[in-house]
């Protein structure tokens, strides 16, 4: 299918514009680059033009960018020259096409809708060529180009783009298979587009190509598609009646191993949250910008004009109704406003979703939109999913009850009916997911309680009866799980960016616990606004394994039910051991692993609440603390060899458990540390980390330690020595774990860690990375920084290792680091490197750091300090040409200037005026000052006249030289000035060799003149 013909627009320009539009800055810049390239190539043969372009590119980075962008623009605007321009571009670029790729992404994201039709066609041609050439980064450009294919749009331009991008992916299939993310993004995009392509023969032909493409990737690379998460099932539901997808659904439901050995069934997929990148990829950049504007800038009550514009632009045709699902999924899963926005009068998310639902003109689209709204409810897991994903649905129902009760009624009816009808074999899981959602909503105070919504007189009797039948727990006021006052709630969100997991916190400011209750329940630990009394109330409810246990075979089901009924820990441990033995039998059906893990996670949920570490740590109390049923899995693993087949089976069970209960990671670490049976087996954790879905030791370890930090600070401190000693490469290379520790410990725990360091049980820093970690810590809180420095000083690391940090410290921004360094430097004997770093600090009247440490050293190490200052003065008293040489060879030395040294010395002189210190009477200092005075300019002589005057009366009385030499020695300051030039020449020669071996000078007698009053050489 060809692109539609140009409609009378100028073909020499990049963007469509009218006479009223201002000149686009990007277009102007690209046209200037075209002018440069054209002037270089004008009138030359192809070979000569290539040579001219290469010569220009070699002049510098700016010229390289000009030529690359000029050729790129010519390629877009002049289709006749495209082959030649692309060839020249591949030959002359020096950065792997990086500049061109960045500019393509910028145009696709910001200017694509304004591109001339010819330029748009050329852009697709260029992307095809980049893919053919396997340019690194071309996959990112492909994904950006796919984002421009709008859903619900069957216009000629959009269909042309969808078909051409598909052709690129089909023709370059081998290249596509090298990128897992591109596979997943392509499948997600075209599964969604298939729904729109029906009716005309041209569209049916395109749809068949899309079906073949998606089926091929899903069958060949299913686990790459698996990363899409539960929304993959939603998209597959929409195309389920197409014959090829009917066959895929049969395998998906009844023979999952045919798709991948790692795939256990549709429940595994539905339990996986869809990443926001996939939800965002089905909105064009323009749609995304408009939606984000409405949710961050438009005030509630003033949204109509913006909604009308959006409706006209994107939702005005029958085909565009399918776009509503994409918009709702995007709002629920991607638009997570900050606390500031949530508490303001900005248009809330539920209002936009209510508008999308009420303006829907198709029954099918309305049903799909409701499913999109509730989709994260169906398999909601509070440990993995975000409250922000389920909040819009409950608020739409709540706020629509008075003005639009029909909207609330239809949504509540849908919520009830979706439980048995979504997929009957998983009805128990769906019921559990919806129950979890409602419980979490009440816990987080999204609504104070649900009775006013579920048992409202505005709802008809049948619906209220159905709600009471489905959700009796939430139909009484107040609801049993959480008792709070019925008041307006304020929503707060706390984002955890490290793990890409959004965790919302909804707090009713009126219904707060007293300080005494808070202390009693949290035991003094920082819990980040979590209300533990509420959680403890929920824990008392018995474990419900009904949704899972029926899926187990009879033998295993019997053991799991015994485990549930076990009255004491010892009995439960015995049953758990029998379950482990059943798993290790050869005929165990591995497909039941996930279901078994769900049962165990539910049964053991009480084990993962409360403190693990005993109050009094003894051998007996530690062994008692690990005598729990879940620890039976750990113990069996420790007793096996890694090459044992049972070892990998138990690891798989742990990995499944980890998906359902992330706390099991740090519980395993605790077992490996505390249990005698696990002595020396800490490396087992690495095998566990590799078996999890994360598959990476560092990521898994950091996530587990973060979970431990949030739950139990005492346990974190207990584990710290073992974690650092067993996994040094993961812990010592960055400050991530250190920051977790110092962020929550108190002074007692800090002192305990310091004792561990002093006794050699704990190493938290090593020489190759300590400087970077200390620099990272400069952005931490005050107590965190002081704790970090205390832990560093407990180590036996030479201070010179970290002294370069002084270059990063500003006296107003980093007082913690400066004060710790100051106290440590006063204990040290100054080396030349230390003095150089101290003197390299900028002079400021309020910054007393340099003066204070220098003054201390003058009292304790007078002779040593004077020698170092003399050496630095002579080295830095050089000509401009020498400074340039030093600057190019040593960035550290380049930061120290002669003027800085003199300023600091003058401040030191002023601080010593009223003391008995005679530091400035030291011979090396006076010699160096004379040396500097003899060669510096008049401005410096005037500025530091008081400092230089100290050297005016200097005479050397260390020995009585011969008469002839005495005449040269004892002379007036005026006569000394007369002979200063030859002396200065001698010292310049000496200073130039200060950093190398001394050169032999032509006048040997002058080198040996130790008693000269003029200037002493380095040999002094």
């Amino acid at each position: 299918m060809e692109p539609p013909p140009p409609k009378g627009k100028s073909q020499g320009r990049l963007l469509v514009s009218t006479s009223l539009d201002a000149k686009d800055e990007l277009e102007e810049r690209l046209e200037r680059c075209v002018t440069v390239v054209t002037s270089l190539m004008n009138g030359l043969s192809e070979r000569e033009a290539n040579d001219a372009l290469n010569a220009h590119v070699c002049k510098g980075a700016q010229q390289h960018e000009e030529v690359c962008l000029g050729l790129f623009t010519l390629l877009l605007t002049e289709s006749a020259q495209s082959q030649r321009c692309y060839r020249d571009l591949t030959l002359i670029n020096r950065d792997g096409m990086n500049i061109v790729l960045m500019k393509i992404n910028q145009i696709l994201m910001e200017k694509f809708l304004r591109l001339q039709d010819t330029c748009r066609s050329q852009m697709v041609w260029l992307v095809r060529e980049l893919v053919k050439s396997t340019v690194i980064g071309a996959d990112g450009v492909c994904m950006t180009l796919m984002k421009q294919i709008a859903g619900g749009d069957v216009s000629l331009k959009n269909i042309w783009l969808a078909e051409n991008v598909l052709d690129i992916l089909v023709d370059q299939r081998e290249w596509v298979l090298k990128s897992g993310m591109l596979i997943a993004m392509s499948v997600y995009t075209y599964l969604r587009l298939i729904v729109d392509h029906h009716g005309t023969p041209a569209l049916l032909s395109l749809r068949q190509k899309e079906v073949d493409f998606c089926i091929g990737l899903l069958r060949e690379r299913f686990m790459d598609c698996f990363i899409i998460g539960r929304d993959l099932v939603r998209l597959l539901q929409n195309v389920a009646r197409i014959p090829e997808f009917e066959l895929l659904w049969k395998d998906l439901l009844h023979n999952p191993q045919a798709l991948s050995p790692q795939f256990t069934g549709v429940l595994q997929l539905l339990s996986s949250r869809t990443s926001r990148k996939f939800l965002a990829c089905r909105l064009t950049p323009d749609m995304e910008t408009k939606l984000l504007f409405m949710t961050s800038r438009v005030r509630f009550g003033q949204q109509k004009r913006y909604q009308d514009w959006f409706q006209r632009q994107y939702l005005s045709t029958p085909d565009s109704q399918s776009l509503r699902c994409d918009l709702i999924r995007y709002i629920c899963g991607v638009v997570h406003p900050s606390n500031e926005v949530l508490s303001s009068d900005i248009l809330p998310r539920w209002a936009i979703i209510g508008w999308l639902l009420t303006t829907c003109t198709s029954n099918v689209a309305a049903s799909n939109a409701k499913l999109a709204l509730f989709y994260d409810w169906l398999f909601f897991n509070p440990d993995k999913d975000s409250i922000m994903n389920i909040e819009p649905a409950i608020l739409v129902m709540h706020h629509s009850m008075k003005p639009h009760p029909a909207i609330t009624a239809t949504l509540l009816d849908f919520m009830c009916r979706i439980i048995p009808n979504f997929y009957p074999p998983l009805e128990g899981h769906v019921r559990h997911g919806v129950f979890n959602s409602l419980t979490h909503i009440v816990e987080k105070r999204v609504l104070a309680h649900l009775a006013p919504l579920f048992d409202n007189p505005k709802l008809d009797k049948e619906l209220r009866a159905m709600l009471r039948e489905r959700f009796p727990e939430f139909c009484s006021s107040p609801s049993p799980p959480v008792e709070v006052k019925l008041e307006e709630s304020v929503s707060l969100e706390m984002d955890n960016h490290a793990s890409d997991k959004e965790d919302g916190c909804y707090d009713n400011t009126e219904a707060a616990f007293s300080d005494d209750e808070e202390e009693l329940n949290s035991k003094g630990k920082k819990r980040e606004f979590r209300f533990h009394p509420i959680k403890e109330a929920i824990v008392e409810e018995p474990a419900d394994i009904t949704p899972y246990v029926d899926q187990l075979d009879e033998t295993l089901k019997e053991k799991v039910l015994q485990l549930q009924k076990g009255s004491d820990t010892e009995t439960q441990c015995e049953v758990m051991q029998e379950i482990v033995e059943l798993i290790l039998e050869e005929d165990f059906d591995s497909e039941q692993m996930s279901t078994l893990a769900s049962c165990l996670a539910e049964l053991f949920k009480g084990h993962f609440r409360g403190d693990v570490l005993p109050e009094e740590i003894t051998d007996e109390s530690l062994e008692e603390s690990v005598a729990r049923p879940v620890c039976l899995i750990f113990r069996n693993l420790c007793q096996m060899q890694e090459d044992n087949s049972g070892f990998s089976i138990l690891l798989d069970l742990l990995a499944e458990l980890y998906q359902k209960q992330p706390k099991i990671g740090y519980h395993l670490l605790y077992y490996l540390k505390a249990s005698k049976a696990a002595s020396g087996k800490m490396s087992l954790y690495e095998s566990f980390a590799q078996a999890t879905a994360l598959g990476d030791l560092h990521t898994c370890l950091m996530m587990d330690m973060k979970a431990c930090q949030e739950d139990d600070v005492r346990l974190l401190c207990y584990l710290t020595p073992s974690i650092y000693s067993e996994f040094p490469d993961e812990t010592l290379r960055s400050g991530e774990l250190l920051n977790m520790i110092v962020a929550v410990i108190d002074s007692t725990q800090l002192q305990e860690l310091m004792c561990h360091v002093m006794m050699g049980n704990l190493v938290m820093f090593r020489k190759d990375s300590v400087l970077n970690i200390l620099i990272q810590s400069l952005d931490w809180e005050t107590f965190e920084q002081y704790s970090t420095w205390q832990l560093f000083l407990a180590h036996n690391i030479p201070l010179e290792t970290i002294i370069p940090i002084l270059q990063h410290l500003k006296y107003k921004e980093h007082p913690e680091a400066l004060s710790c360094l100051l106290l440590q430097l006063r204990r040290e004997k100054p080396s030349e490197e230390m003095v150089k770093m101290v003197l390299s600090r900028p002079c400021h009247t309020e910054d007393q750091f340099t003066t204070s440490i220098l003054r201390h050293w003058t009292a304790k190490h007078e002779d040593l300090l004077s020698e170092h200052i003399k050496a630095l003065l002579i080295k830095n008293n050089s000509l401009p040409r020498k400074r340039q040489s030093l600057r190019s060879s040593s960035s550290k030395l380049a930061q120290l200037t002669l003027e800085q040294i003199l300023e600091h010395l003058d401040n030191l002189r002023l601080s010593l005026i009223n003391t008995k210190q005679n530091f400035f009477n030291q011979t090396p200092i006076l010699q160096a000052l004379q040396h500097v005075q003899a060669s510096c300019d008049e401005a410096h002589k005037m500025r530091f006249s008081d400092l230089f005057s100290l050297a005016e009366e200097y005479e050397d009385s260390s020995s009585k030289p011969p008469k002839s030499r005495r005449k040269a020695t004892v002379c007036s300051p005026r006569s000394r000035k007369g002979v200063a030039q030859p002396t200065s020449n001698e010292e310049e020669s000496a200073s130039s060799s200060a950093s190398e071996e001394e050169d032999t000078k032509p006048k040997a007698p002058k080198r040996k003149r130790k008693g000269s009053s003029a200037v002493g050489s380095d040999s002094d």
Side-chain angles (χ1 to χ4, degrees):
M1 187 180 293
E2 292 298 321
K7 298 180 181 178
K9 293 291 179 184
S10 165
Q11 294 308 298
R13 300 179 61 226
L14 190 67
L15 305 177
V16 173
S17 60
T18 67
S19 56
L20 297 176
D21 291 331
K23 190 72 173 176
D24 188 86
E25 290 183 12
L26 174 63
E27 187 174 21
E28 277 191 319
R29 184 180 176 219
L30 292 177
E31 284 178 355
R32 287 196 297 271
C33 294
V34 168
T35 304
V36 171
V37 171
T38 306
S39 64
L40 289 170
M41 299 170 63
N42 200 17
L44 301 179
S45 67
E46 289 191 11
R47 184 180 183 83
E48 290 170 337
N50 188 262
D51 292 341
L53 291 174
N54 266 310
H56 192 69
V57 162
C58 292
K59 291 180 181 178
Q62 183 181 346
Q63 288 78 9
H64 174 257
E65 186 172 351
E66 285 176 349
V67 172
C68 287
L69 293 183
L71 289 170
F72 164 67
T73 310
L74 276 173
L75 188 153
L76 293 184
T77 56
E78 304 293 339
S79 56
Q81 299 185 45
S82 56
Q83 290 284 359
R84 178 184 174 183
C85 289
Y86 184 73
R87 183 197 64 205
D88 289 342
L89 195 54
T90 56
L91 292 174
I92 62 96
N93 86 88
R94 301 286 187 272
D95 63 348
M97 292 279 198
N98 191 47
I99 290 172
V100 174
L101 292 173
M102 288 173 62
K103 201 56 61 181
I104 293 174
N105 274 317
Q106 182 184 354
I107 291 174
L108 289 176
M109 292 298 290
E110 299 172 11
K111 313 287 184 185
F112 188 76
L113 294 179
R114 291 182 55 201
L115 274 182
Q116 293 276 8
D117 291 333
T118 301
C119 299
R120 193 177 297 200
S121 178
Q122 286 300 111
M123 179 70 82
V124 174
W125 180 87
L126 175 57
V127 172
R128 185 189 300 273
E129 294 303 311
L130 291 171
V131 171
K132 281 183 184 177
S133 305
T134 62
V135 173
I136 296 173
D139 54 342
V141 170
C142 265
M143 287 187 270
T144 309
L145 188 58
M146 276 193 290
K147 188 175 171 67
Q148 284 292 352
I149 308 171
D153 182 359
V154 290
S155 64
L156 289 177
K157 285 185 179 180
N158 198 58
I159 294 299
W160 171 83
L161 182 60
E163 186 166 21
N164 275 269
V165 174
L166 181 61
D167 286 342
I168 294 173
L169 298 173
V170 171
D171 293 344
Q172 304 299 322
R173 181 181 173 83
E174 291 303 316
W175 173 81
V176 171
L177 294 178
K178 294 177 183 176
S179 170
M181 180 52 69
L182 180 58
I183 291 171
M185 201 68 79
S186 304
V187 168
Y188 190 87
T189 298
Y190 281 98
L191 274 179
R192 166 64 188 86
L193 294 175
I194 287 170
V195 177
D196 298 330
H197 299 161
H198 56 84
T200 67
L203 287 177
L204 291 174
S205 171
L206 172 58
R207 184 166 95 163
Q208 190 56 49
K209 287 166 64 176
E210 292 168 338
V211 168
D212 295 341
F213 173 73
C214 291
I215 285 290
L217 289 181
L218 282 165
R219 287 201 173 277
E220 188 175 337
R221 300 294 289 271
F222 184 79
M223 290 314 290
D224 285 318
C225 302
F226 181 88
I227 63 172
I228 294 171
R230 61 175 64 114
D231 275 79
L232 176 59
V233 178
R234 184 177 63 85
L235 295 181
L236 287 171
Q237 283 177 289
N238 293 336
V239 295
R241 293 188 178 181
I242 297 173
E244 292 88 343
F245 286 108
E246 278 187 325
L247 294 174
L248 182 74
W249 266 108
K250 287 180 180 177
D251 287 341
L252 199 66
L253 297 176
H254 307 299
N255 188 19
Q257 298 289 311
L259 297 174
S260 170
Q262 290 84 40
F263 182 50
T264 58
V266 72
L267 179 61
Q268 182 188 6
L269 192 52
L270 287 166
S271 302
S272 176
R273 180 169 63 93
T274 297
S275 167
R276 55 176 59 187
K277 353 182 216 295
F278 295 106
L279 299 177
C281 82
R282 287 321 313 130
L283 268 63
T284 65
D286 189 57
M287 291 180 198
E288 199 169 2
T289 302
K290 300 298 188 295
L291 267 185
L292 291 175
F293 177 82
M294 282 198 280
T295 55
S296 62
R297 304 286 294 279
V298 177
R299 297 189 182 283
F300 191 30
Q302 301 176 0
Q303 70 268 27
K304 188 175 188 309
R305 56 184 293 208
Y306 302 101
Q307 290 175 346
D308 289 346
W309 180 92
F310 199 95
Q311 177 94 17
R312 286 193 306 274
Q313 188 78 3
Y314 298 115
L315 298 170
S316 58
T317 65
D319 294 301
S320 64
Q321 299 308 304
S322 63
L323 180 62
R324 294 178 191 272
C325 296
D326 301 331
L327 296 171
I328 290 172
R329 293 300 294 145
Y330 178 84
I331 292 168
C332 291
V334 180
V335 182
H336 290 181
S338 64
N339 293 332
E340 185 181 1
V341 172
L342 287 171
S343 58
S344 71
D345 59 351
I346 297 297
L347 181 65
R349 297 186 300 161
W350 63 262
I352 300 177
I353 291 175
W355 161 66
L356 289 170
L357 291 172
T358 54
T359 56
C360 194
T361 58
S362 159
N363 289 334
V364 174
S367 294
N368 288 337
K370 285 182 276 189
L371 180 62
L373 180 61
F374 282 103
Y375 207 65
D376 287 312
W377 288 53
L378 307 184
F379 296 88
F380 183 79
N381 181 344
D383 295 327
K384 294 180 182 178
D385 293 301
S386 169
I387 185 72
M388 298 299 282
N389 290 10
I390 62 173
E391 177 237 48
I394 199 73
L395 290 184
V396 169
M397 294 188 285
H398 172 71
H399 289 287
S400 299
M401 181 62 83
K402 289 182 181 178
H404 305 289
I407 292 291
T408 303
T410 189
L411 290 176
L412 287 172
D413 182 74
F414 181 88
M415 183 180 72
C416 291
R417 295 184 189 280
I418 195 68
I419 293 174
N421 294 312
F422 178 75
Y423 180 47
L426 294 183
E427 180 181 348
H429 291 272
V430 177
R431 183 186 296 109
H432 189 65
V434 174
F435 182 85
N436 279 346
S437 301
L438 294 170
T439 303
H440 209 53
I441 282 165
V442 176
E443 267 187 24
K444 296 299 185 180
R445 313 300 206 279
V446 181
L447 294 182
H449 55 80
L450 300 174
L453 181 64
F454 283 9
D455 200 19
N456 195 293
K458 290 189 177 183
L459 303 176
D460 63 66
K461 291 182 179 179
E462 289 183 8
L463 179 57
R464 289 164 64 187
M466 184 160 57
L467 285 166
R468 279 194 294 270
E469 180 188 346
R470 300 274 186 202
F471 310 109
E473 304 89 344
F474 303 105
C475 289
S476 57
S477 178
S479 53
V482 184
E483 295 186 5
V484 295
K485 299 175 186 176
L486 178 56
E487 291 163 359
E488 191 62 32
S489 61
V490 179
S491 55
L492 304 171
E493 178 191 10
M494 301 187 323
D495 284 331
N496 183 348
H497 301 289
S499 61
D500 190 30
K501 172 182 174 181
E502 304 82 10
D503 183 22
C505 176
Y506 291 80
D507 175 26
N508 187 321
T509 53
E510 298 288 336
F513 294 100
S514 70
D515 292 340
D516 293 337
E517 288 175 319
E518 191 169 26
E519 285 179 15
L520 180 64
N521 285 280
S522 68
K523 298 183 181 176
K525 293 168 190 161
K526 182 180 178 183
R527 295 294 184 125
E528 298 183 7
F529 306 107
R530 296 179 180 180
F531 293 91
H532 290 267
I534 296 171
K535 290 191 173 183
E536 291 301 326
I538 297 170
V539 172
E540 293 172 5
E541 295 179 3
D544 178 18
I545 58 171
T546 311
Y548 318 107
V549 72
D550 291 335
Q551 299 177 42
L552 300 174
D553 64 39
E554 285 304 316
T555 310
L556 197 55
K557 178 180 177 181
E558 181 185 347
K559 296 298 179 186
V560 169
L561 291 174
Q562 284 182 24
L563 188 63
Q564 183 182 25
K565 294 172 185 175
S567 55
D568 59 90
T569 304
E570 187 176 348
T571 305
Q572 287 183 323
C573 286
E574 290 174 0
V575 177
M576 188 65 219
Q577 181 60 40
E578 293 175 7
I579 291 175
V580 169
E581 290 169 1
L582 277 176
I583 295 169
L584 296 177
E585 290 179 1
E586 291 184 7
D587 59 348
F588 176 71
D589 184 1
S590 59
E591 291 184 8
Q592 296 190 77
M593 193 72 81
S594 178
T595 308
L596 175 62
S598 298
C599 292
L600 296 179
E602 182 69 19
L603 291 174
F604 296 154
K605 62 183 180 181
H607 296 175
F608 297 104
R609 292 191 174 92
D611 295 339
V612 181
L613 193 65
E615 284 297 327
E616 185 179 349
I617 299 177
T618 63
D619 289 346
E620 292 78 13
S621 64
L622 288 174
E623 284 299 327
E624 186 178 345
S625 70
V626 295
R628 300 182 178 193
V630 72
C631 295
L632 262 294
I633 307 173
F634 304 155
R635 190 175 74 185
N636 278 274
L637 270 173
C638 292
Q639 293 170 350
M640 290 182 179
Q641 299 294 326
E642 290 195 17
D643 54 359
N644 190 321
S645 60
F647 184 83
S648 60
I649 293 173
L650 287 184
L651 276 183
D652 289 343
L653 175 61
L654 272 187
E656 290 288 347
L657 267 172
Y658 188 61
Q659 284 191 335
K660 295 161 177 58
Q661 176 52 269
K663 295 181 182 183
I664 203 159
Y666 74 77
H667 278 257
L668 173 59
L669 286 169
Y670 173 67
Y671 179 84
L672 296 173
K673 161 90 172 172
S675 174
K676 291 180 181 178
S679 179
K681 297 280 189 177
M682 188 63 81
S683 59
L684 181 67
Y685 179 81
E686 185 171 354
S687 302
F688 161 73
Q690 290 167 353
T692 64
L694 297 170
D696 174 61
L697 175 60
H698 179 79
T699 306
C700 195
L701 182 62
M702 292 304 116
M703 286 181 65
D704 289 343
M705 295 305 283
K706 180 66 178 174
C708 182
Q709 178 225 40
E710 293 173 349
D711 289 342
D712 193 341
V713 179
R714 283 184 66 240
L715 179 58
L716 178 72
C717 295
Y718 176 76
L719 291 176
T720 293
S722 297
I723 299 302
Y724 270 96
S725 60
E726 292 291 339
F727 309 110
D729 292 337
E730 312 305 325
T731 53
L732 297 175
R733 67 187 183 188
S734 74
E736 189 176 352
L737 178 57
L738 177 64
N739 191 16
M740 286 184 210
I741 295 168
V742 297
V744 292
I745 58 174
D746 57 26
S747 52
T748 304
Q749 291 160 337
L750 172 62
Q751 189 262 343
E752 289 173 357
L753 289 176
M754 290 174 67
C755 290
H756 280 300
V757 173
M758 298 286 286
M759 291 188 294
N761 301 330
L762 174 60
V763 177
M764 304 181 81
F765 300 97
R766 62 185 180 195
K767 289 183 180 180
D768 62 346
S769 58
V770 61
L771 178 59
N772 287 333
I773 292 176
L774 290 177
I775 291 171
Q776 289 174 32
S777 74
L778 298 178
D779 295 326
W780 301 351
E781 296 295 329
T782 292
F783 182 76
E784 296 171 13
Q785 289 195 53
Y786 279 130
S787 299
T788 300
W789 280 95
Q790 292 290 315
L791 290 167
F792 164 73
L793 295 175
H795 290 71
N796 190 26
I797 297 177
L799 195 64
E800 286 195 350
T801 307
I802 58 102
I803 199 67
I805 198 176
L806 270 174
Q807 298 169 327
H808 299 268
L809 303 182
K810 299 176 182 177
Y811 76 98
K812 282 190 175 179
E813 296 177 21
H814 307 120
E816 300 91 349
L818 283 169
S819 58
C820 292
L821 261 178
L822 188 64
L823 292 175
Q824 189 60 17
L825 283 169
R826 74 191 297 272
R827 297 186 179 92
E828 298 283 330
K829 186 181 290 188
S831 65
E832 185 174 333
E833 179 69 15
M834 285 183 191
V835 176
K836 180 178 75 173
M837 287 296 171
V838 167
L839 291 173
S840 68
R841 289 187 60 72
C843 285
H844 195 283
T845 52
E846 296 179 29
D847 185 5
Q848 299 294 320
F849 180 89
T850 299
T851 303
S852 59
I853 190 59
L854 289 178
R855 178 165 173 170
H856 174 79
W857 280 339
T858 59
K860 299 289 185 182
H861 308 286
E862 189 177 54
D863 295 341
L864 191 57
L865 180 63
S866 61
E867 289 293 344
H868 291 328
I869 291 178
K870 173 189 172 182
L872 291 169
L873 273 170
I874 291 174
K875 285 179 184 178
N876 284 275
N877 183 30
S878 54
L879 297 176
R881 57 185 172 78
K882 187 174 181 184
R883 290 298 315 140
Q884 292 165 6
S885 165
L886 285 170
R887 189 172 289 111
S888 65
S889 62
S890 172
S891 59
K892 288 183 182 177
L893 189 56
Q895 294 177 3
L896 179 62
T897 65
L898 177 64
E899 188 172 350
Q900 273 181 309
I901 301 175
L902 293 175
E903 284 182 327
H904 286 307
L905 286 180
D906 203 34
N907 289 338
L908 179 61
R909 177 187 65 79
L910 291 172
S911 76
L912 293 174
I913 283 178
N914 296 322
T915 68
K916 296 181 181 181
Q917 287 282 347
N918 59 354
F919 177 73
F920 284 95
N921 293 336
Q922 294 286 308
T923 300
I925 293 293
L926 295 171
Q927 288 175 339
L929 287 174
Q930 278 193 344
H931 176 67
V932 172
Q933 184 184 20
S935 59
C936 71
D937 56 30
E938 289 301 322
H940 281 82
K941 287 180 182 178
M942 289 292 294
R943 182 177 174 187
F944 301 108
S945 57
D946 291 341
L947 192 61
F948 288 134
S949 68
L950 297 174
E952 289 290 331
E953 303 302 324
Y954 166 61
E955 290 185 17
D956 184 22
S957 56
S958 60
S959 61
K960 291 184 179 180
K963 235 179 193 181
S964 59
R965 200 169 287 181
R966 183 70 177 167
K967 286 179 183 177
T969 305
V970 186
C971 56
S972 67
R974 185 178 298 277
S975 63
R976 277 205 304 277
K977 287 175 184 175
V979 297
Q981 185 60 41
T983 307
S984 178
N985 291 341
E986 177 188 334
E987 283 309 314
E988 184 174 340
S989 173
S991 67
S992 66
S993 62
S995 59
E996 307 167 0
E997 295 183 2
E998 285 193 27
D999 298 322
T1000 306
K1001 299 176 182 61
K1003 297 184 180 179
K1006 284 193 176 182
R1007 274 187 75 205
K1008 296 179 182 177
R1009 236 173 51 190
K1010 293 182 182 178
S1012 170
S1013 67
V1015 183
S1017 70
D1018 278 357
S1019 61
D1020 292 332

